[in-house]
Amino acid sequence: MPLPVTALIPRLREICGDDGVITDPNRRRTYESDGITYHAGTPGVVVLPTSTEQVAAVVRLCSESGVPFVPRGAGTGLSAGALPHSQGVLIVTSRMRRILEIDIANERAVVQPGVANLEVTRAAAPHGYYYAPDPSSQQVCSVGGNIAENSGGAHCLKYGFTVNHVTGLEVVTPQGETVRLGGKSADAPGYDLLGAFVGSEGTLGIATEITVRLLRAPQKVRTLLAAFESMDAGGAAVSAIISAGVLPAAVEMMDALSIEAAEAAVACDYPPGAGAVLIVELDGPAADVDAQFDHATQLCRDAGAFEIRTAADADERARIWKGRKSAFAAVGRISPAYIVQDGVVPRTALPEVLRRIAELSAESGIRVANVFHAGDGNLHPLVLFDDSAPEASEKAAEVSGKILDLCIEHGGSITGEHGVGVDKACQMPEMFSPADLETMDLFRSAFDPGGIANPEKLLPTPRLCGERPGVRKDVHPLVAEGTAEQF
Amino acid sequence: MTQDETTTTPPAEALSAGGAVVREATPADAVGGRVPRYVARPPDTAAAAELLATAHRLGLATVMRGNGTASDWGAPPSRVDLVLETTALRSVEHAAGDLVVQVGAGTPLADLQTRLAAAGQRLTLDPLVAGGTVGGAVATGLSGPRRLLHGPLRDLIIGMTTVRADGVTASSGGRVVKNVAGYDLGKLHTGALGTLGLTTSVTFRLHPLPEALRIVSAEAPDAETAQRWTHAVLGSGAVPAAVELDSHQAGPLTLSVLLEGAEGGIGARAQAVAELMDGAAVAEGPPARWSTLPGNPDDTLLKISTPLGQVARAAHLVHEAARQQNTTAAVSGSAGAGVLFAALPTAAGAAAVDAVARGLRTALDGGVTVARTAPALADAELDRWGDVPGLELMRAVKQRFDPDRLLAPGRFAGGI
Ligand SMILES: Cc1cc2nc3c(=O)[nH]c(=O)nc-3n(C[C@H](O)[C@H](O)[C@H](O)COP(=O)(O)OP(=O)(O)OC[C@H]3O[C@@H](n4cnc5c(N)ncnc54)[C@H](O)[C@@H]3O)c2cc1C
Ligand SMILES: Cc1cc2nc3c(=O)[nH]c(=O)nc-3n(C[C@H](O)[C@H](O)[C@H](O)COP(=O)(O)OP(=O)(O)OC[C@H]3O[C@@H](n4cnc5c(N)ncnc54)[C@H](O)[C@@H]3O)c2cc1C
């Protein structure tokens, strides 16, 4: 039998100091959710360690007493991965925020897990280098959280995800051992545990020190904005660009509803009457960028773009991006509530899937705004609803679920970057067979035989998903049982 | 290792029940000097799964084989009863518009590249060791020069289907380039030398074939110069696809920088790189020995990973260490990614190989493994792996996936 979490408090104070342990219910409640607030719960106790040794001691204590723990970075996650456990210890990395080394000779940075993503680039910039993964939350989200979610960003189309940029980790395993996986060099001997740890959502332990690659800042960056009459035409332009072998750093798309919202919020001044806008950014050696830029411009024209703007300088580039970057918040202003989806489809299926989403929206009367990473087929439909209207949230959840079904039907994925967490655990069986999931669980248990590291996340469990794990309910089970509200 | 009763008389009929073609093994099928009893060739994933389930029930030690061009990588398995030949697992499903391909593990890489090239695309691995299969490349986990820009092989894999030791088929990843659903188990199988399961199919992300390429090469008089050039090229914004180092004997080192991209700009880019290296020459094709392992096929081969700032020095240290052991060495690999291979001639004995590897481990940060030994050293006392951080976790993973140690037992790090 696990000990009650309160029994651990005196030892936790010895390990983390009095100011490193939060027991006060009101202060604990500030950690009740991550970026999706409809999954919420008060942690049993919160600790704020300042060193690997403290993390290891806390985890060892959890392991010895059978008490679960949940890692937490900045809490910007969008799958309830950092949802606290009411009988567990929430281990927050916010006091582990030192950049330990900027090593230009070896093109690496070594950081503590609580360092904000953008801080790495800030520290490398004076040397002409940067850290490539750039989630939109990069001002706040932690590098440790990025590791756990294998986060991407607008530029991951060309530069890849977090996993492509991490060469070393120090990890505290769920049994409290401190292990080094990789370092400043590539291809550490043995199984690629480093590669498998990235994206493990806090279920295999806590990353306490992280070594990442630094890239040379590109010689040239060029950005264009193309306006189309319809999403179909915009989607066709994306397909044309990708299959023509042009590899932009980013290809982002917005539909009429999100353009309207962005216009109202930040006056982004996108071409009037556009049914879709596409932002295409190219970077690299100047000569290459210029050639590819002309090619991309032509392909947009061929696909029916009625207006194309190109940014002449950094200011104009910022203006083009302004509407896109403000889109999520802007949609929040035209709708009392919304659900952000994160499905992926093969890029050639974009026009078809977007059409089907429009049909779903028309049939259900639920508005859907589309703002997304078009270059890699990663959709972020925003399903809008009025949380004060009866059954609106259930209807929105249904539409949101059907959008994911569409993604799976087209050979895609239920999540491109936000992760599974609690939010999508019950949808995993729609993508993976019972044997696939059992094999994943075997892997998890190799790291965490006691099942205490972020339990009830990532893989479906009967408690979370009902007796037949994986059958997607129209209403989220946590909502149904009254544990959580959907907005 | 002793063989228990069930393994002495494995019924060939049982093995072929799922559709695999089974035959008695011959000495030509030996793996690391161990002659198996049977060779089985399943026609598809379902048959492979049934075959492995049967082998599991019978307690047969099983080793996978593609075309056998790298069957001497890793330690020789302590026991081999069955060789599972993947060459019938051939298929190519190319989604050209999505730059994605799903390939059967037994498909020859060369065939795959030919198919892709017809659509103006490629799997960005480098020139082939003739005859290698997709599954063999994944299991050895080796990446050629272009890993610098496009990432090592594992970064190109977006989905994988495998069969576990107990015959259960499991997939992870998917068929889209962006996907974070579930654990990425393909990472574990990449470079695992078939010790965690049989890979039956792999889904890769592809790249367009570049319009133009140039190679800028120069000979650096010493390691410090080669290091300085490497740093300058990587820091120049030229975005090389590869920076290769060739030091086939002690003395000067050749540095070759591969640039790929639009025809219009390639000349100017090559010129800019040439200015960073004294006496550089620009060519339109790769130099001799590009993307090949150093030395001869029977040489002992070390794999050396170092931080970027130590690569050229590592090459120099190999020659020094070899000289001290009264032997020679040839070194080449990716200066840009920090991964080198060093070949020691067949004549070098186990003590010499061990001394060179140990010396390098002490002098360099990173990893030094004996990836392949000369045939005479197959069973020699050798520390092939050095210190492997995380070994206990690796053992735990092996224990979960193959608790009876039936898949190439002893081949991998720490006797896994
Ligand atoms: C406005 C907004 C925009 C966003 N844009 C993007 C985007 O463009 N791309 C993208 O990929 N994501 C995006 N996200 C999602 C989110 O920012 C990322 O998932 C981010 O990586 C989470 O980091 P965090 O520090 O906030 O982690 P948290 O939310 O605190 O935790 C996330 C998960 O990581 C685990 N974890 C945290 N730290 C560690 C550690 N040190 N070791 C092990 N596990 C740990 C937690 O247990 C949890 O499972 C966005 C979120 C918001 C709110
Ligand atoms: C530096 C370097 C770079 C290289 N770069 C490239 C490159 O870019 N492109 C390229 O094509 N080749 C490359 N090679 C060669 C390549 O890695 C292998 O030599 C070859 O592909 C092996 O194929 P095979 O079918 O002959 O494998 P085999 O010799 O049959 O098998 C090799 C190993 O893999 C295991 N194995 C084979 N198939 C499977 C399977 N389906 N599932 C599980 N385990 C399996 C075997 O048990 C064995 O341990 C490179 C080699 C080196 C050293």
Side-chain angles (χ1 to χ4, degrees):
Chain A
M1 270 304 277
L3 286 177
V5 63
T6 44
L8 268 46
I9 291 171
R11 271 292 289 139
L12 291 172
R13 285 194 204 282
E14 280 170 35
I15 297 166
C16 298
D18 284 346
D19 59 346
V21 180
I22 299 175
T23 55
D24 171 64
N26 286 324
R27 286 186 64 207
R28 272 188 282 141
R29 214 164 294 132
T30 56
Y31 295 96
E32 68 183 4
S33 72
D34 61 9
I36 46 171
T37 47
Y38 52 83
H39 294 295
T42 308
V45 58
V46 178
V47 297
L48 308 166
T50 55
S51 67
T52 300
E53 291 69 31
Q54 290 186 4
V55 174
V58 170
V59 173
R60 219 174 300 125
L61 183 63
C62 289
S63 168
E64 284 159 11
S65 39
V67 169
F69 68 89
V70 175
R72 177 181 168 109
T76 67
L78 291 174
S79 53
L83 176 70
H85 195 292
S86 63
Q87 293 306 312
V89 180
L90 187 73
I91 304 178
V92 186
T93 61
S94 58
R95 295 205 300 177
M96 298 176 74
R97 296 193 65 128
R98 273 185 307 132
I99 293 183
L100 302 171
E101 207 184 340
I102 296 289
D103 176 357
I104 295 300
N106 292 314
E107 301 190 341
R108 296 291 184 270
V110 184
V111 304
Q112 289 190 315
V115 168
N117 171 298
L118 191 58
E119 292 299 322
V120 185
T121 287
R122 285 219 180 98
H127 308 276
Y129 282 76
Y130 75 114
Y131 176 53
D134 60 342
S136 327
S137 50
Q138 69 179 156
Q139 304 233 20
V140 257
C141 68
S142 71
V143 178
N146 296 168
I147 296 286
E149 301 289 3
N150 188 18
S151 297
H155 295 85
C156 65
L157 172 60
K158 179 169 176 183
Y159 292 100
F161 318 99
T162 300
V163 69
N164 308 122
H165 296 273
V166 181
T167 61
L169 287 179
E170 178 189 71
V171 169
V172 171
T173 72
Q175 291 176 295
E177 306 284 334
T178 304
V179 177
R180 277 198 177 271
L181 305 174
K184 286 183 182 173
S185 51
D187 295 9
Y191 296 137
D192 184 11
L193 299 183
L194 169 71
F197 187 92
V198 178
S200 64
E201 302 191 5
T203 63
L204 303 181
I206 303 190
T208 49
E209 190 188 294
I210 299 151
T211 306
V212 298
R213 292 165 64 206
L214 296 176
L215 298 190
R216 177 79 187 148
Q219 239 171 37
K220 187 161 190 179
V221 182
R222 289 188 73 181
T223 311
L224 70 81
L225 180 139
F228 299 86
E229 270 162 18
S230 67
M231 289 291 275
D232 255 19
V238 175
S239 291
I241 290 171
I242 299 298
S243 42
V246 177
L247 183 55
V251 179
E252 299 287 311
M253 192 158 152
M254 291 167 69
D255 69 0
L257 186 53
S258 46
I259 297 168
E260 178 197 318
E263 199 63 58
V266 298
C268 56
D269 191 29
Y270 285 174
V277 297
L278 205 58
I279 298 172
V280 181
E281 188 157 286
L282 289 135
D283 70 8
D288 257 26
V289 170
D290 290 339
Q292 297 218 335
F293 194 81
D294 294 344
H295 195 176
T297 309
Q298 191 53 50
L299 292 168
C300 286
R301 276 223 175 81
D302 295 349
F306 67 82
E307 185 173 339
I308 294 180
R309 296 179 186 169
T310 59
D313 53 34
D315 272 359
E316 289 190 20
R317 178 172 322 119
R319 210 160 321 133
I320 285 182
W321 276 102
K322 191 172 170 190
R324 169 62 184 91
K325 290 198 167 165
S326 69
F328 281 26
V331 167
R333 293 170 51 152
I334 61 163
S335 174
Y338 62 82
I339 299 173
V340 186
Q341 247 323 343
D342 176 41
V344 187
V345 297
R347 296 169 281 204
T348 46
L350 270 176
E352 156 82 7
V353 170
L354 291 170
R355 221 174 296 133
R356 297 276 300 275
I357 291 176
E359 284 165 19
L360 265 178
S361 169
E363 284 160 18
S364 62
I366 298 265
R367 292 190 300 166
V368 179
N370 285 292
V371 187
F372 59 100
H373 309 303
D376 38 30
N378 186 190
L379 303 172
H380 285 321
L382 305 171
V383 183
L384 315 189
F385 64 99
D386 178 353
D387 49 351
S388 63
E391 291 175 19
S393 72
E394 288 83 348
K395 270 175 83 178
E398 193 181 327
V399 169
S400 163
K402 283 185 176 161
I403 292 176
L404 276 197
D405 293 345
L406 272 179
C407 294
I408 296 169
E409 264 169 47
H410 284 82
S413 169
I414 57 171
T415 172
E417 56 183 20
H418 294 167
V420 176
V422 171
D423 201 48
K424 286 183 172 160
C426 301
Q427 273 142 344
M428 285 289 279
E430 295 176 18
M431 228 180 123
F432 296 105
S433 75
D436 300 343
L437 295 172
E438 190 225 350
T439 306
M440 289 185 193
D441 202 29
L442 276 178
F443 173 61
R444 179 183 195 151
S445 72
F447 275 71
D448 183 19
I452 60 165
N454 217 1
E456 308 265 316
K457 311 277 173 71
L458 200 150
L459 294 173
T461 65
R463 200 191 72 82
L464 211 56
C465 312
E467 278 312 309
R468 291 172 54 208
V471 180
R472 189 182 57 74
K473 303 270 167 53
D474 289 334
V475 178
H476 196 284
L478 284 181
V479 176
E481 77 186 38
T483 312
E485 269 182 316
Q486 206 115 28
F487 283 85
Chain B
M1 178 144 316
T2 57
Q3 299 185 345
D4 66 38
E5 282 309 301
T6 49
T7 67
T8 49
T9 51
E13 312 84 74
L15 290 173
S16 57
V21 178
V22 180
R23 65 170 169 85
E24 304 264 332
T26 71
D29 297 308
V31 183
R34 278 73 166 159
V35 181
R37 289 149 193 275
Y38 293 99
V39 176
R41 188 168 180 264
D44 53 32
T45 296
E50 204 168 327
L51 176 70
L52 278 172
T54 305
H56 182 249
R57 207 171 54 241
L58 298 174
L60 301 183
T62 304
V63 173
M64 320 303 170
R65 183 170 75 200
N67 279 339
T69 62
S71 60
D72 49 359
W73 284 68
S78 55
R79 188 177 143 220
V80 185
D81 301 312
L82 172 69
V83 162
L84 188 160
E85 212 172 69
T86 66
T87 47
L89 303 173
R90 274 197 196 201
S91 60
V92 176
E93 264 183 72
H94 183 198
D98 293 318
L99 282 110
V100 162
V101 71
Q102 186 172 31
V103 204
T107 311
L109 266 168
D111 288 8
L112 173 63
Q113 297 289 23
T114 309
R115 285 276 295 271
L116 300 174
Q121 298 179 4
R122 70 175 178 201
L123 172 61
T124 311
L125 289 173
D126 287 292
L128 316 176
V129 172
T133 59
V134 166
V138 169
T140 50
L142 292 168
S143 312
R146 285 175 175 87
R147 66 174 294 159
L148 172 59
L149 186 60
H150 297 284
L153 174 62
R154 60 152 223 192
D155 285 5
L156 305 172
I157 297 174
I158 59 174
M160 194 184 283
T161 299
T162 56
V163 181
R164 288 190 333 220
D166 59 0
V168 171
T169 304
S171 302
S172 62
R175 303 187 63 172
V176 283
V177 293
K178 194 172 183 185
N179 171 22
V180 293
Y183 298 116
D184 188 358
L185 299 184
K187 296 276 189 297
L188 290 181
H189 292 279
T190 306
L193 294 175
T195 57
L196 292 179
L198 167 74
T199 298
T200 58
S201 110
V202 188
T203 309
F204 295 102
R205 66 180 305 166
L206 304 172
H207 290 102
L209 283 168
E211 247 171 62
L213 67 80
R214 291 290 184 281
I215 298 257
V216 186
S217 305
E219 198 176 87
D222 50 40
E224 292 75 55
T225 311
Q227 193 63 58
R228 208 170 55 242
W229 288 354
T230 302
H231 187 65
V233 170
L234 293 177
S236 71
V239 195
V243 178
E244 289 287 290
L245 176 154
D246 184 354
S247 169
H248 57 283
Q249 57 187 39
L253 305 85
T254 305
L255 212 58
S256 304
V257 178
L258 170 67
L259 299 167
E260 296 183 330
E263 188 68 64
I266 199 93
R269 286 171 65 201
Q271 211 41 56
V273 169
E275 276 161 25
L276 301 170
M277 312 192 295
D278 299 333
V282 179
E284 300 197 358
R289 291 198 301 270
W290 176 261
S291 186
T292 55
L293 292 169
N296 299 306
D298 275 351
D299 287 353
T300 292
L301 198 65
L302 308 188
K303 180 178 177 183
I304 304 160
S305 310
T306 72
L308 296 183
Q310 296 181 4
V311 190
R313 192 172 137 248
H316 171 72
L317 289 175
V318 172
H319 292 301
E320 280 293 299
R323 197 175 47 77
Q324 279 169 20
Q325 298 300 321
N326 297 314
T327 182
T328 57
V331 185
S332 63
S334 177
V339 178
L340 299 179
F341 288 90
L344 300 172
T346 23
V353 171
D354 220 31
V356 171
R358 280 177 205 281
L360 291 171
R361 284 175 193 140
T362 312
L364 300 166
D365 306 317
V368 178
T369 58
V370 181
R372 183 188 81 198
T373 57
L377 303 189
D379 288 308
E381 279 290 319
L382 261 184
D383 181 3
R384 288 170 187 260
W385 302 93
D387 191 26
V388 180
L391 186 57
E392 284 319 307
L393 286 173
M394 294 175 197
R395 286 192 212 281
V397 171
K398 171 73 171 180
Q399 160 67 25
R400 293 300 194 284
F401 281 67
D402 179 19
D404 304 326
R405 299 187 71 246
L406 292 176
L407 303 182
R411 168 149 268 178
F412 207 64
I416 292 173

